Amino acid sequence: MSMGLEGSSVVRTCRICGTDRFEGVVSLGLMPLANRFIRPEQAAEAEPRYPLEVIRCQECELVQLSVVVDPEILFRDYAYASSASAPVIEHFAALATDLAARFKLRDRLVVEIGSNDGVLLDPLARRGARVLGIEPARGQSTAANARGLETWNEFFDEGVARRVRAERGRAALVIGNNVLAHMSDLSGVARAVGSLLDDDGVFVFEVPYLLDLLDRVEYDTIYHEHLSYFHLAPLKRLFSDAGMAVFHVERLSVHGGSIRVYVGHAGRRSASPQLAAMSATEGHRLLADQRIYRSFAESVVASRVALNDLLADRIAAGWRIAGYGASAKGNTLLNYCAIGPDVLEYVADTTPYKQGLLTPGTRIPVVPERRSVEDPPDALLLLAWNYADSIVERKRDYIARGGRFIHPIPLARLIP
Ligand code: DWN
């Protein structure tokens, strides 16, 4: 795919089935990159903006972005660190336990695509697996290697798969959490995984689930890193075309609602009842019916109006408001709703890399999380609402002193 001006290109054919017949889903306008936080000395400089528009393939039903931004721009110098969020550490510790119980991993090769700072490689290695991370972000790859978790600073593709197989052999397990949605050449990735897995090998991956996005109006999870918004039907097509088969799926609450999908070589494992049940549910939801997507687009506009009304009302009442969690989704929400430093005094965040920088497009200062304790506002806008339970629980003292949270979607509401 040849990249156009500023490292982006328009999608002409579906990234799974290759057809060129699309329906529009929603357009959020021209948006800056959600994880490109701005240094204060660059605050006055213009930053690249790209169309953020979602389309749906009329053949295989894959919901996807209409514009692809060069992954070198998106991921080489990358702000997101998995280990900055305690709930993510807990989530992947539990996954390691689950995988070790489900598969024989001791002394077996486990390759993780998009392994970030090694948050999952670590517990897997502690269970005796021979782990290898494949991570394109320089900072995260360096951090993982510094922890003794071998990580190649690469984008995963068929060439890297061949090199792993030549140098490490075939894998019992390939894992890819919150990475498949970020990859443009899905067919090439599916073939690469298939070539790397041993005969009984399994590819296990987590992706945000389209049904949760639609039902909870999670429009802020739409940003340029997320090229695809998956449900089972197109995923089954993708892996079937690569000589593999989805055989199991689990529904997860993480990241606003995700699915964990298990794939093996075709014919090696029988489909689980859970897979049949979820496939049937998708059939009943008529996800090929354009009316679902029109309704979602209308709900997105209603969500923006409700949030801006609540914020205006509270500011008119004299409240000081700040953001909590400088998340990528938060930057979609702030830019789409035009929420700037006149509304939020700061955004508190636990990620050292982000602190001292400004939010992309809206230029709100990101500060250490302790600022929300030392200089508590009247309300904190939950830009990391996917951890709302954990955050509200941990900030009981803030609430006890009269502090409130604003949960922005689907319709803005105060907690408590
Ligand atoms: O797919 C992706 C997901 C998995 O993670 C990536 N493309 C990018 C990233 O999206 P995100 O930035 O929206 O993810 P989070 O994990 O929702 O970001 C939460 C932010 O909030 C982080 O910067 C850490 C911060 N945080 C905090 O300040 N206090 C998180 C918690 C739990 C907290 O208590």
Side-chain angles (χ1 to χ4, degrees), residues 35 37 75 78-82 84-88 177-179 182 208 220 223 225-226 255 324-330 348-351 354 369 383-387 390-391 394:
N35 260 315
F37 291 82
F75 301 113
Y78 192 47
Y80 179 73
S82 303
S85 300
V88 174
N177 296 317
N178 300 303
V179 65
H182 303 54
D220 53 348
Y223 42 89
E225 295 171 25
H226 293 170
H255 290 300
Y324 192 88
S327 61
K329 67 175 84 56
D349 192 281
T350 51
T351 312
K354 299 178 182 178
E369 199 272 346
L383 299 174
W385 48 259
N386 45 317
Y387 306 120
S390 159
I391 292 168
R394 210 157 37 69

Side-chain angles (χ1 to χ4, degrees), residues 331-351:
N331 289 318
T332 290
L333 184 138
L334 294 176
N335 280 285
Y336 177 67
C337 297
I339 296 170
D342 56 322
V343 176
L344 301 185
E345 289 184 17
Y346 59 78
V347 177
D349 192 281
T350 51
T351 312

Side-chain angles (χ1 to χ4, degrees), residues 89-398:
I89 297 172
E90 293 157 17
H91 173 77
F92 287 134
L95 174 58
T97 301
D98 185 354
L99 293 174
R102 192 185 284 265
F103 306 103
K104 295 187 194 65
L105 299 183
R106 184 161 295 282
D107 300 326
R108 306 282 304 279
L109 178 62
V110 175
V111 178
E112 185 182 6
I113 307 166
S115 48
N116 201 276
D117 55 15
V119 67
L120 176 59
L121 293 176
D122 181 55
L124 288 170
R126 294 176 191 278
R127 283 168 176 75
R130 286 191 294 120
V131 300
L132 173 63
I134 311 292
E135 172 53 56
R138 277 188 284 264
Q140 286 75 349
S141 170
T142 301
N145 282 302
R147 296 167 69 179
L149 300 163
E150 183 179 5
T151 299
W152 292 2
N153 185 214
E154 302 278 2
F155 287 96
F156 181 76
D157 59 17
E158 289 178 277
V160 168
R162 277 194 297 276
R163 202 179 121 211
V164 173
R165 184 167 168 170
E167 297 181 19
R168 295 287 189 286
R170 297 171 72 186
L173 207 52
V174 175
I175 303 169
N177 296 317
N178 300 303
V179 65
L180 199 65
H182 303 54
M183 304 172 100
S184 182
D185 178 14
L186 289 176
S187 303
V189 167
R191 288 193 302 271
V193 170
S195 71
L196 185 51
L197 284 174
D198 64 26
D199 291 346
D200 268 332
V202 175
F203 177 38
V204 184
F205 63 92
E206 292 177 11
V207 289
Y209 190 36
L210 176 66
L211 274 187
D212 293 311
L213 166 61
L214 297 174
D215 291 347
R216 300 179 195 161
V217 197
E218 297 172 349
Y219 72 89
D220 53 348
T221 61
I222 298 169
Y223 42 89
H224 295 101
E225 295 171 25
H226 293 170
L227 296 176
S228 302
Y229 301 81
F230 288 118
H231 62 298
L232 276 178
L235 285 169
K236 289 160 80 173
R237 165 78 181 261
L238 169 66
F239 289 103
S240 166
D241 289 352
M244 302 165 79
V246 175
F247 66 87
H248 182 50
V249 64
E250 297 161 355
R251 195 105 181 243
L252 308 170
S253 62
V254 68
H255 290 300
S258 298
I259 50 177
R260 181 179 294 155
V261 184
Y262 296 74
V263 183
H265 290 295
R268 301 293 295 204
R269 296 174 185 261
S270 52
S272 71
Q274 292 89 332
L275 178 66
M278 192 177 285
S279 298
T281 300
E282 289 188 359
H284 299 146
R285 290 294 304 271
L286 302 174
L287 286 169
D289 185 333
Q290 188 59 16
R291 285 172 295 184
I292 288 180
Y293 302 99
R294 268 202 294 276
S295 167
F296 170 71
E298 290 162 4
S299 301
V300 170
V301 174
S303 183
R304 175 173 63 183
V305 170
L307 176 57
N308 279 325
D309 285 354
L310 176 58
L311 291 169
D313 174 67
R314 293 297 84 213
I315 286 173
W319 282 20
R320 289 177 56 223
I321 305 175
Y324 192 88
S327 61
K329 67 175 84 56
N331 289 318
T332 290
L333 184 138
L334 294 176
N335 280 285
Y336 177 67
C337 297
I339 296 170
D342 56 322
V343 176
L344 301 185
E345 289 184 17
Y346 59 78
V347 177
D349 192 281
T350 51
T351 312
Y353 176 99
K354 299 178 182 178
Q355 294 162 3
L357 301 180
L358 302 170
T359 54
T362 50
R363 301 291 189 275
I364 301 170
V366 180
V367 301
E369 199 272 346
R370 67 177 177 279
R371 173 80 176 275
S372 66
V373 178
E374 295 162 356
D375 177 20
D378 297 293
L380 286 166
L381 176 58
L382 275 174
L383 299 174
W385 48 259
N386 45 317
Y387 306 120
D389 295 345
S390 159
I391 292 168
V392 170
E393 172 57 29
R394 210 157 37 69
K395 294 187 76 71
R396 282 193 314 274
D397 292 348
Y398 168 70

